Amino acid sequence: MLLVFLLALAIAHPQSAAAQSRSSSSSSQSSSSSSNNSSSSSRSSTKHSDQDEARDAVRTGKIMPLTAILEIVTKREPGTVMEVELETKDGKVTYRIEVLNDKGRRREIRLDARNGEVLWAGDD
């Protein structure tokens, strides 16, 4: 879940997400034992790599920025965004967004990350 949040933050705010990731990484390292430090460090580098890939894809125009995707989603399904994932399957990159709508129902919307086209929407 933290990875999803950091990924979403990285796409929306590249500089602050990097600082958040570094802050999260250093605070977990200082409060962990030495055996946990190595596993925490490896997870941090994976998170950073995912963020870099997403940021590069936005910069090169391969995918739309999360802010634009969220505008499409909230117009279609007003409510609170609960989860965001950037997924790749069979070479197609999609955003999977979970929304708690105004009626209290949890909805899932999948969008083509390149153009924002809604591919699927339904109850989660």
Side-chain angles (χ1 to χ4, degrees):
M1 183 66 105
L2 179 60
L3 175 60
V4 172
F5 173 74
L6 291 175
L7 178 60
L9 190 60
I11 294 170
H13 304 286
Q15 293 172 341
S16 64
Q20 171 97 15
S21 178
R22 284 190 300 275
S23 170
S24 173
S25 174
S26 64
S27 67
S28 69
Q29 287 177 355
S30 65
S31 64
S32 300
S33 67
S34 61
S35 65
N36 287 339
N37 280 344
S38 62
S39 64
S40 177
S41 296
S42 66
R43 283 193 301 261
S44 295
S45 66
T46 302
K47 290 177 195 173
H48 185 68
S49 176
D50 291 345
Q51 291 174 358
D52 288 342
E53 281 185 44
R55 206 175 300 121
D56 290 344
V58 169
R59 282 188 195 131
T60 59
K62 291 180 181 176
I63 64 172
M64 292 177 66
L66 182 58
T67 53
I69 293 293
L70 291 177
E71 283 182 35
I72 295 167
V73 169
T74 55
K75 285 179 184 173
R76 180 182 174 108
E77 194 70 53
T80 303
V81 173
M82 303 296 289
E83 186 174 344
V84 176
E85 288 188 46
L86 187 61
E87 303 173 334
T88 303
K89 185 175 181 180
D90 298 328
K92 186 170 193 164
V93 183
T94 60
Y95 281 103
R96 186 180 69 78
I97 316 278
E98 288 185 17
V99 176
L100 183 63
N101 71 13
D102 294 340
K103 296 177 183 173
R105 292 180 66 177
R106 202 171 178 129
R107 305 276 293 161
E108 180 178 309
I109 302 172
R110 290 186 184 263
L111 301 98
D112 186 314
R114 295 171 201 247
N115 59 21
E117 174 188 354
V118 175
L119 303 172
W120 184 86
D123 290 337
D124 182 37

